[in-house]
Amino acid sequence: MARGRPSKKQQILDTARSLFADFGYQGTSIDLVVQRAGVSKPTVYNNFSTKQAMLLELLPQMLGEISAARQQIDNDTEMVAGIIESFRQLVQRNDWLAIYRIAWGERHKMEPEVYAQLGLLEQQQEQWIGQWLEEKQGCRPDSARLFMIRALCREAVIVTTLSAQLPDYPALERQLASVLIV
């Protein structure tokens, strides 16, 4: 392999990632991946037995990126603003938002291994919120409060964005502040 060139496998993954973001999971076919990646169908099948296998390989990479972005939220950021920012990050990139779209719209169609990886998206978000609040408030919120915060933010930011509307961040900030009063 030439230096500096991505492997065929990574080229296929990068193409699939872009296509999932543009067309969704169902709208992306192996044939479209072959065409856009500029590789042969046998090359794709030598690396990935199915489209779900591609997604399964992409998910840990993307979940790691999302987690790393969350960790970059400045510790000086106010408590509510930090939580909102962690959700805002998810909707600012089409490929990350596509993972949410797949997780909520198509997760039930996935093999157990893919289903479990998609579930990690919400688990990691809730864990981060718990850690963030523990740092800001000095105590770990209970699971019911974490669920309420995540559900409120998901509806206000992610579902609103998926519905082609703009999130009302000031309203979300007020609602979150009322939930977080200890």
PDB file of all heavy atoms in Angstrom, residues 62-95:
ATOM      1  N   MET A  62     -17.145   6.267  15.663  1.00  0.00           N
ATOM      2  CA  MET A  62     -17.974   7.461  15.784  1.00  0.00           C
ATOM      3  C   MET A  62     -18.344   7.752  17.239  1.00  0.00           C
ATOM      4  O   MET A  62     -18.337   8.909  17.666  1.00  0.00           O
ATOM      5  CB  MET A  62     -19.214   7.320  14.909  1.00  0.00           C
ATOM      6  CG  MET A  62     -18.849   7.288  13.429  1.00  0.00           C
ATOM      7  SD  MET A  62     -20.245   7.017  12.354  1.00  0.00           S
ATOM      8  CE  MET A  62     -20.971   8.641  12.368  1.00  0.00           C
ATOM      9  N   LEU A  63     -18.642   6.715  18.004  1.00  0.00           N
ATOM     10  CA  LEU A  63     -18.951   6.913  19.418  1.00  0.00           C
ATOM     11  C   LEU A  63     -17.743   7.489  20.148  1.00  0.00           C
ATOM     12  O   LEU A  63     -17.887   8.332  21.038  1.00  0.00           O
ATOM     13  CB  LEU A  63     -19.400   5.600  20.061  1.00  0.00           C
ATOM     14  CG  LEU A  63     -20.764   5.076  19.607  1.00  0.00           C
ATOM     15  CD1 LEU A  63     -21.020   3.690  20.177  1.00  0.00           C
ATOM     16  CD2 LEU A  63     -21.880   6.023  19.971  1.00  0.00           C
ATOM     17  N   GLY A  64     -16.560   7.049  19.761  1.00  0.00           N
ATOM     18  CA  GLY A  64     -15.335   7.601  20.337  1.00  0.00           C
ATOM     19  C   GLY A  64     -15.169   9.071  19.997  1.00  0.00           C
ATOM     20  O   GLY A  64     -14.763   9.876  20.849  1.00  0.00           O
ATOM     21  N   GLU A  65     -15.482   9.438  18.771  1.00  0.00           N
ATOM     22  CA  GLU A  65     -15.391  10.839  18.357  1.00  0.00           C
ATOM     23  C   GLU A  65     -16.384  11.706  19.136  1.00  0.00           C
ATOM     24  O   GLU A  65     -16.050  12.807  19.573  1.00  0.00           O
ATOM     25  CB  GLU A  65     -15.680  10.974  16.864  1.00  0.00           C
ATOM     26  CG  GLU A  65     -14.637  10.370  15.972  1.00  0.00           C
ATOM     27  CD  GLU A  65     -15.076  10.306  14.517  1.00  0.00           C
ATOM     28  OE1 GLU A  65     -16.160  10.846  14.177  1.00  0.00           O
ATOM     29  OE2 GLU A  65     -14.350   9.707  13.719  1.00  0.00           O
ATOM     30  N   ILE A  66     -17.600  11.208  19.286  1.00  0.00           N
ATOM     31  CA  ILE A  66     -18.632  11.949  20.007  1.00  0.00           C
ATOM     32  C   ILE A  66     -18.211  12.121  21.467  1.00  0.00           C
ATOM     33  O   ILE A  66     -18.318  13.211  22.035  1.00  0.00           O
ATOM     34  CB  ILE A  66     -19.996  11.234  19.885  1.00  0.00           C
ATOM     35  CG1 ILE A  66     -20.497  11.302  18.438  1.00  0.00           C
ATOM     36  CG2 ILE A  66     -21.016  11.830  20.848  1.00  0.00           C
ATOM     37  CD1 ILE A  66     -21.676  10.388  18.129  1.00  0.00           C
ATOM     38  N   SER A  67     -17.708  11.055  22.052  1.00  0.00           N
ATOM     39  CA  SER A  67     -17.245  11.107  23.439  1.00  0.00           C
ATOM     40  C   SER A  67     -16.089  12.100  23.599  1.00  0.00           C
ATOM     41  O   SER A  67     -16.056  12.891  24.549  1.00  0.00           O
ATOM     42  CB  SER A  67     -16.821   9.712  23.896  1.00  0.00           C
ATOM     43  OG  SER A  67     -16.376   9.745  25.223  1.00  0.00           O
ATOM     44  N   ALA A  68     -15.149  12.076  22.669  1.00  0.00           N
ATOM     45  CA  ALA A  68     -14.004  12.997  22.727  1.00  0.00           C
ATOM     46  C   ALA A  68     -14.475  14.447  22.599  1.00  0.00           C
ATOM     47  O   ALA A  68     -13.963  15.333  23.302  1.00  0.00           O
ATOM     48  CB  ALA A  68     -12.992  12.661  21.634  1.00  0.00           C
ATOM     49  N   ALA A  69     -15.445  14.696  21.742  1.00  0.00           N
ATOM     50  CA  ALA A  69     -15.974  16.056  21.582  1.00  0.00           C
ATOM     51  C   ALA A  69     -16.636  16.523  22.876  1.00  0.00           C
ATOM     52  O   ALA A  69     -16.466  17.664  23.298  1.00  0.00           O
ATOM     53  CB  ALA A  69     -16.961  16.115  20.424  1.00  0.00           C
ATOM     54  N   ARG A  70     -17.382  15.626  23.508  1.00  0.00           N
ATOM     55  CA  ARG A  70     -18.032  15.947  24.775  1.00  0.00           C
ATOM     56  C   ARG A  70     -17.000  16.307  25.841  1.00  0.00           C
ATOM     57  O   ARG A  70     -17.216  17.215  26.634  1.00  0.00           O
ATOM     58  CB  ARG A  70     -18.825  14.728  25.231  1.00  0.00           C
ATOM     59  CG  ARG A  70     -20.210  15.016  25.633  1.00  0.00           C
ATOM     60  CD  ARG A  70     -20.925  13.768  26.117  1.00  0.00           C
ATOM     61  NE  ARG A  70     -21.594  13.099  25.035  1.00  0.00           N
ATOM     62  CZ  ARG A  70     -21.414  11.838  24.698  1.00  0.00           C
ATOM     63  NH1 ARG A  70     -20.591  11.066  25.353  1.00  0.00           N
ATOM     64  NH2 ARG A  70     -22.074  11.315  23.698  1.00  0.00           N
ATOM     65  N   GLN A  71     -15.893  15.591  25.846  1.00  0.00           N
ATOM     66  CA  GLN A  71     -14.843  15.834  26.843  1.00  0.00           C
ATOM     67  C   GLN A  71     -14.162  17.187  26.642  1.00  0.00           C
ATOM     68  O   GLN A  71     -13.506  17.686  27.544  1.00  0.00           O
ATOM     69  CB  GLN A  71     -13.796  14.706  26.817  1.00  0.00           C
ATOM     70  CG  GLN A  71     -14.338  13.335  27.156  1.00  0.00           C
ATOM     71  CD  GLN A  71     -15.095  13.266  28.472  1.00  0.00           C
ATOM     72  OE1 GLN A  71     -14.697  13.873  29.457  1.00  0.00           O
ATOM     73  NE2 GLN A  71     -16.213  12.551  28.475  1.00  0.00           N
ATOM     74  N   GLN A  72     -14.328  17.757  25.466  1.00  0.00           N
ATOM     75  CA  GLN A  72     -13.702  19.052  25.171  1.00  0.00           C
ATOM     76  C   GLN A  72     -14.538  20.241  25.652  1.00  0.00           C
ATOM     77  O   GLN A  72     -14.101  21.385  25.550  1.00  0.00           O
ATOM     78  CB  GLN A  72     -13.431  19.189  23.667  1.00  0.00           C
ATOM     79  CG  GLN A  72     -12.435  18.184  23.125  1.00  0.00           C
ATOM     80  CD  GLN A  72     -11.097  18.277  23.830  1.00  0.00           C
ATOM     81  OE1 GLN A  72     -10.543  19.350  23.991  1.00  0.00           O
ATOM     82  NE2 GLN A  72     -10.582  17.136  24.267  1.00  0.00           N
ATOM     83  N   ILE A  73     -15.723  19.967  26.173  1.00  0.00           N
ATOM     84  CA  ILE A  73     -16.537  21.073  26.688  1.00  0.00           C
ATOM     85  C   ILE A  73     -15.793  21.656  27.877  1.00  0.00           C
ATOM     86  O   ILE A  73     -15.405  20.945  28.799  1.00  0.00           O
ATOM     87  CB  ILE A  73     -17.950  20.592  27.073  1.00  0.00           C
ATOM     88  CG1 ILE A  73     -18.685  20.106  25.815  1.00  0.00           C
ATOM     89  CG2 ILE A  73     -18.735  21.718  27.756  1.00  0.00           C
ATOM     90  CD1 ILE A  73     -20.030  19.479  26.084  1.00  0.00           C
ATOM     91  N   ASP A  74     -15.587  22.937  27.830  1.00  0.00           N
ATOM     92  CA  ASP A  74     -14.783  23.650  28.826  1.00  0.00           C
ATOM     93  C   ASP A  74     -15.359  23.462  30.230  1.00  0.00           C
ATOM     94  O   ASP A  74     -16.554  23.663  30.460  1.00  0.00           O
ATOM     95  CB  ASP A  74     -14.755  25.137  28.458  1.00  0.00           C
ATOM     96  CG  ASP A  74     -13.770  25.940  29.273  1.00  0.00           C
ATOM     97  OD1 ASP A  74     -13.302  25.456  30.328  1.00  0.00           O
ATOM     98  OD2 ASP A  74     -13.470  27.064  28.856  1.00  0.00           O
ATOM     99  N   ASN A  75     -14.500  23.083  31.162  1.00  0.00           N
ATOM    100  CA  ASN A  75     -14.926  22.883  32.550  1.00  0.00           C
ATOM    101  C   ASN A  75     -15.457  24.157  33.192  1.00  0.00           C
ATOM    102  O   ASN A  75     -16.157  24.102  34.197  1.00  0.00           O
ATOM    103  CB  ASN A  75     -13.785  22.305  33.385  1.00  0.00           C
ATOM    104  CG  ASN A  75     -13.607  20.832  33.146  1.00  0.00           C
ATOM    105  OD1 ASN A  75     -14.538  20.145  32.715  1.00  0.00           O
ATOM    106  ND2 ASN A  75     -12.427  20.328  33.401  1.00  0.00           N
ATOM    107  N   ASP A  76     -15.121  25.296  32.633  1.00  0.00           N
ATOM    108  CA  ASP A  76     -15.615  26.568  33.169  1.00  0.00           C
ATOM    109  C   ASP A  76     -17.024  26.876  32.686  1.00  0.00           C
ATOM    110  O   ASP A  76     -17.638  27.837  33.142  1.00  0.00           O
ATOM    111  CB  ASP A  76     -14.671  27.713  32.777  1.00  0.00           C
ATOM    112  CG  ASP A  76     -13.327  27.605  33.471  1.00  0.00           C
ATOM    113  OD1 ASP A  76     -13.264  27.013  34.573  1.00  0.00           O
ATOM    114  OD2 ASP A  76     -12.335  28.116  32.916  1.00  0.00           O
ATOM    115  N   THR A  77     -17.521  26.077  31.746  1.00  0.00           N
ATOM    116  CA  THR A  77     -18.867  26.286  31.215  1.00  0.00           C
ATOM    117  C   THR A  77     -19.891  26.041  32.315  1.00  0.00           C
ATOM    118  O   THR A  77     -19.768  25.103  33.097  1.00  0.00           O
ATOM    119  CB  THR A  77     -19.136  25.333  30.028  1.00  0.00           C
ATOM    120  OG1 THR A  77     -18.132  25.541  29.046  1.00  0.00           O
ATOM    121  CG2 THR A  77     -20.496  25.569  29.416  1.00  0.00           C
ATOM    122  N   GLU A  78     -20.887  26.884  32.352  1.00  0.00           N
ATOM    123  CA  GLU A  78     -21.960  26.756  33.343  1.00  0.00           C
ATOM    124  C   GLU A  78     -22.667  25.407  33.146  1.00  0.00           C
ATOM    125  O   GLU A  78     -22.722  24.872  32.045  1.00  0.00           O
ATOM    126  CB  GLU A  78     -22.911  27.947  33.155  1.00  0.00           C
ATOM    127  CG  GLU A  78     -23.952  28.109  34.224  1.00  0.00           C
ATOM    128  CD  GLU A  78     -25.243  27.412  33.882  1.00  0.00           C
ATOM    129  OE1 GLU A  78     -25.578  27.341  32.686  1.00  0.00           O
ATOM    130  OE2 GLU A  78     -25.907  26.932  34.800  1.00  0.00           O
ATOM    131  N   MET A  79     -23.213  24.871  34.219  1.00  0.00           N
ATOM    132  CA  MET A  79     -23.775  23.518  34.252  1.00  0.00           C
ATOM    133  C   MET A  79     -24.798  23.266  33.137  1.00  0.00           C
ATOM    134  O   MET A  79     -24.650  22.336  32.349  1.00  0.00           O
ATOM    135  CB  MET A  79     -24.416  23.292  35.622  1.00  0.00           C
ATOM    136  CG  MET A  79     -25.029  21.946  35.809  1.00  0.00           C
ATOM    137  SD  MET A  79     -25.576  21.687  37.518  1.00  0.00           S
ATOM    138  CE  MET A  79     -26.677  23.045  37.793  1.00  0.00           C
ATOM    139  N   VAL A  80     -25.829  24.072  33.054  1.00  0.00           N
ATOM    140  CA  VAL A  80     -26.887  23.879  32.062  1.00  0.00           C
ATOM    141  C   VAL A  80     -26.339  24.058  30.651  1.00  0.00           C
ATOM    142  O   VAL A  80     -26.628  23.265  29.754  1.00  0.00           O
ATOM    143  CB  VAL A  80     -28.068  24.836  32.332  1.00  0.00           C
ATOM    144  CG1 VAL A  80     -29.067  24.813  31.191  1.00  0.00           C
ATOM    145  CG2 VAL A  80     -28.754  24.479  33.653  1.00  0.00           C
ATOM    146  N   ALA A  81     -25.535  25.081  30.454  1.00  0.00           N
ATOM    147  CA  ALA A  81     -24.964  25.349  29.127  1.00  0.00           C
ATOM    148  C   ALA A  81     -24.106  24.178  28.648  1.00  0.00           C
ATOM    149  O   ALA A  81     -24.114  23.840  27.460  1.00  0.00           O
ATOM    150  CB  ALA A  81     -24.147  26.629  29.150  1.00  0.00           C
ATOM    151  N   GLY A  82     -23.377  23.536  29.545  1.00  0.00           N
ATOM    152  CA  GLY A  82     -22.550  22.394  29.174  1.00  0.00           C
ATOM    153  C   GLY A  82     -23.374  21.213  28.719  1.00  0.00           C
ATOM    154  O   GLY A  82     -23.045  20.537  27.740  1.00  0.00           O
ATOM    155  N   ILE A  83     -24.472  20.952  29.417  1.00  0.00           N
ATOM    156  CA  ILE A  83     -25.347  19.845  29.029  1.00  0.00           C
ATOM    157  C   ILE A  83     -25.950  20.119  27.660  1.00  0.00           C
ATOM    158  O   ILE A  83     -25.962  19.251  26.782  1.00  0.00           O
ATOM    159  CB  ILE A  83     -26.450  19.619  30.083  1.00  0.00           C
ATOM    160  CG1 ILE A  83     -25.814  19.112  31.383  1.00  0.00           C
ATOM    161  CG2 ILE A  83     -27.494  18.632  29.575  1.00  0.00           C
ATOM    162  CD1 ILE A  83     -26.761  19.090  32.564  1.00  0.00           C
ATOM    163  N   ILE A  84     -26.443  21.319  27.464  1.00  0.00           N
ATOM    164  CA  ILE A  84     -27.024  21.676  26.159  1.00  0.00           C
ATOM    165  C   ILE A  84     -25.971  21.557  25.065  1.00  0.00           C
ATOM    166  O   ILE A  84     -26.246  21.028  23.989  1.00  0.00           O
ATOM    167  CB  ILE A  84     -27.647  23.081  26.204  1.00  0.00           C
ATOM    168  CG1 ILE A  84     -28.875  23.076  27.120  1.00  0.00           C
ATOM    169  CG2 ILE A  84     -28.013  23.558  24.793  1.00  0.00           C
ATOM    170  CD1 ILE A  84     -29.461  24.442  27.401  1.00  0.00           C
ATOM    171  N   GLU A  85     -24.759  22.013  25.331  1.00  0.00           N
ATOM    172  CA  GLU A  85     -23.683  21.931  24.335  1.00  0.00           C
ATOM    173  C   GLU A  85     -23.402  20.486  23.942  1.00  0.00           C
ATOM    174  O   GLU A  85     -23.133  20.191  22.780  1.00  0.00           O
ATOM    175  CB  GLU A  85     -22.414  22.606  24.852  1.00  0.00           C
ATOM    176  CG  GLU A  85     -21.246  22.551  23.901  1.00  0.00           C
ATOM    177  CD  GLU A  85     -21.513  23.205  22.545  1.00  0.00           C
ATOM    178  OE1 GLU A  85     -22.384  24.087  22.428  1.00  0.00           O
ATOM    179  OE2 GLU A  85     -20.833  22.810  21.571  1.00  0.00           O
ATOM    180  N   SER A  86     -23.479  19.570  24.889  1.00  0.00           N
ATOM    181  CA  SER A  86     -23.217  18.160  24.570  1.00  0.00           C
ATOM    182  C   SER A  86     -24.239  17.616  23.579  1.00  0.00           C
ATOM    183  O   SER A  86     -23.916  16.741  22.767  1.00  0.00           O
ATOM    184  CB  SER A  86     -23.172  17.309  25.843  1.00  0.00           C
ATOM    185  OG  SER A  86     -24.457  17.093  26.384  1.00  0.00           O
ATOM    186  N   PHE A  87     -25.455  18.119  23.616  1.00  0.00           N
ATOM    187  CA  PHE A  87     -26.475  17.696  22.650  1.00  0.00           C
ATOM    188  C   PHE A  87     -26.362  18.496  21.352  1.00  0.00           C
ATOM    189  O   PHE A  87     -26.596  17.965  20.272  1.00  0.00           O
ATOM    190  CB  PHE A  87     -27.882  17.827  23.254  1.00  0.00           C
ATOM    191  CG  PHE A  87     -28.215  16.699  24.166  1.00  0.00           C
ATOM    192  CD1 PHE A  87     -27.845  16.739  25.491  1.00  0.00           C
ATOM    193  CD2 PHE A  87     -28.864  15.576  23.689  1.00  0.00           C
ATOM    194  CE1 PHE A  87     -28.123  15.685  26.346  1.00  0.00           C
ATOM    195  CE2 PHE A  87     -29.153  14.515  24.525  1.00  0.00           C
ATOM    196  CZ  PHE A  87     -28.779  14.563  25.867  1.00  0.00           C
ATOM    197  N   ARG A  88     -26.016  19.761  21.474  1.00  0.00           N
ATOM    198  CA  ARG A  88     -25.853  20.598  20.282  1.00  0.00           C
ATOM    199  C   ARG A  88     -24.769  20.002  19.369  1.00  0.00           C
ATOM    200  O   ARG A  88     -24.893  20.018  18.157  1.00  0.00           O
ATOM    201  CB  ARG A  88     -25.492  22.023  20.688  1.00  0.00           C
ATOM    202  CG  ARG A  88     -25.499  22.987  19.531  1.00  0.00           C
ATOM    203  CD  ARG A  88     -25.008  24.372  19.903  1.00  0.00           C
ATOM    204  NE  ARG A  88     -25.350  24.769  21.240  1.00  0.00           N
ATOM    205  CZ  ARG A  88     -25.988  25.902  21.561  1.00  0.00           C
ATOM    206  NH1 ARG A  88     -26.323  26.745  20.626  1.00  0.00           N
ATOM    207  NH2 ARG A  88     -26.249  26.199  22.807  1.00  0.00           N
ATOM    208  N   GLN A  89     -23.707  19.474  19.981  1.00  0.00           N
ATOM    209  CA  GLN A  89     -22.630  18.858  19.202  1.00  0.00           C
ATOM    210  C   GLN A  89     -23.152  17.730  18.311  1.00  0.00           C
ATOM    211  O   GLN A  89     -22.699  17.556  17.185  1.00  0.00           O
ATOM    212  CB  GLN A  89     -21.557  18.275  20.130  1.00  0.00           C
ATOM    213  CG  GLN A  89     -20.737  19.287  20.843  1.00  0.00           C
ATOM    214  CD  GLN A  89     -19.802  18.633  21.851  1.00  0.00           C
ATOM    215  OE1 GLN A  89     -19.974  17.487  22.252  1.00  0.00           O
ATOM    216  NE2 GLN A  89     -18.791  19.379  22.265  1.00  0.00           N
ATOM    217  N   LEU A  90     -24.096  16.955  18.833  1.00  0.00           N
ATOM    218  CA  LEU A  90     -24.625  15.818  18.082  1.00  0.00           C
ATOM    219  C   LEU A  90     -25.361  16.227  16.810  1.00  0.00           C
ATOM    220  O   LEU A  90     -25.397  15.471  15.850  1.00  0.00           O
ATOM    221  CB  LEU A  90     -25.567  14.984  18.957  1.00  0.00           C
ATOM    222  CG  LEU A  90     -24.910  14.163  20.044  1.00  0.00           C
ATOM    223  CD1 LEU A  90     -25.955  13.604  20.996  1.00  0.00           C
ATOM    224  CD2 LEU A  90     -24.078  13.048  19.445  1.00  0.00           C
ATOM    225  N   VAL A  91     -25.958  17.402  16.823  1.00  0.00           N
ATOM    226  CA  VAL A  91     -26.748  17.814  15.660  1.00  0.00           C
ATOM    227  C   VAL A  91     -25.963  18.690  14.690  1.00  0.00           C
ATOM    228  O   VAL A  91     -26.459  19.034  13.620  1.00  0.00           O
ATOM    229  CB  VAL A  91     -28.064  18.518  16.069  1.00  0.00           C
ATOM    230  CG1 VAL A  91     -28.926  17.581  16.892  1.00  0.00           C
ATOM    231  CG2 VAL A  91     -27.812  19.829  16.798  1.00  0.00           C
ATOM    232  N   GLN A  92     -24.741  19.037  15.049  1.00  0.00           N
ATOM    233  CA  GLN A  92     -23.951  19.897  14.178  1.00  0.00           C
ATOM    234  C   GLN A  92     -23.229  19.127  13.086  1.00  0.00           C
ATOM    235  O   GLN A  92     -22.739  19.736  12.136  1.00  0.00           O
ATOM    236  CB  GLN A  92     -22.962  20.712  15.005  1.00  0.00           C
ATOM    237  CG  GLN A  92     -23.658  21.779  15.824  1.00  0.00           C
ATOM    238  CD  GLN A  92     -22.701  22.579  16.670  1.00  0.00           C
ATOM    239  OE1 GLN A  92     -21.638  22.117  17.056  1.00  0.00           O
ATOM    240  NE2 GLN A  92     -23.078  23.809  16.959  1.00  0.00           N
ATOM    241  N   ARG A  93     -23.141  17.826  13.222  1.00  0.00           N
ATOM    242  CA  ARG A  93     -22.484  17.012  12.200  1.00  0.00           C
ATOM    243  C   ARG A  93     -23.477  15.992  11.654  1.00  0.00           C
ATOM    244  O   ARG A  93     -24.068  15.226  12.421  1.00  0.00           O
ATOM    245  CB  ARG A  93     -21.267  16.298  12.792  1.00  0.00           C
ATOM    246  CG  ARG A  93     -20.128  17.239  13.053  1.00  0.00           C
ATOM    247  CD  ARG A  93     -18.834  16.590  13.329  1.00  0.00           C
ATOM    248  NE  ARG A  93     -18.525  15.435  12.502  1.00  0.00           N
ATOM    249  CZ  ARG A  93     -17.463  14.675  12.686  1.00  0.00           C
ATOM    250  NH1 ARG A  93     -16.604  14.959  13.651  1.00  0.00           N
ATOM    251  NH2 ARG A  93     -17.228  13.636  11.912  1.00  0.00           N
ATOM    252  N   ASN A  94     -23.657  16.003  10.353  1.00  0.00           N
ATOM    253  CA  ASN A  94     -24.611  15.084   9.723  1.00  0.00           C
ATOM    254  C   ASN A  94     -24.321  13.621  10.018  1.00  0.00           C
ATOM    255  O   ASN A  94     -25.238  12.828  10.160  1.00  0.00           O
ATOM    256  CB  ASN A  94     -24.632  15.294   8.206  1.00  0.00           C
ATOM    257  CG  ASN A  94     -25.668  16.293   7.792  1.00  0.00           C
ATOM    258  OD1 ASN A  94     -26.498  16.715   8.583  1.00  0.00           O
ATOM    259  ND2 ASN A  94     -25.620  16.685   6.533  1.00  0.00           N
ATOM    260  N   ASP A  95     -23.036  13.247  10.058  1.00  0.00           N
ATOM    261  CA  ASP A  95     -22.730  11.840  10.290  1.00  0.00           C
ATOM    262  C   ASP A  95     -23.085  11.420  11.720  1.00  0.00           C
ATOM    263  O   ASP A  95     -23.579  10.322  11.940  1.00  0.00           O
ATOM    264  CB  ASP A  95     -21.278  11.508   9.952  1.00  0.00           C
ATOM    265  CG  ASP A  95     -20.249  12.377  10.646  1.00  0.00           C
ATOM    266  OD1 ASP A  95     -20.606  13.446  11.185  1.00  0.00           O
ATOM    267  OD2 ASP A  95     -19.063  12.001  10.639  1.00  0.00           O
TER     268      ASP A  95
END
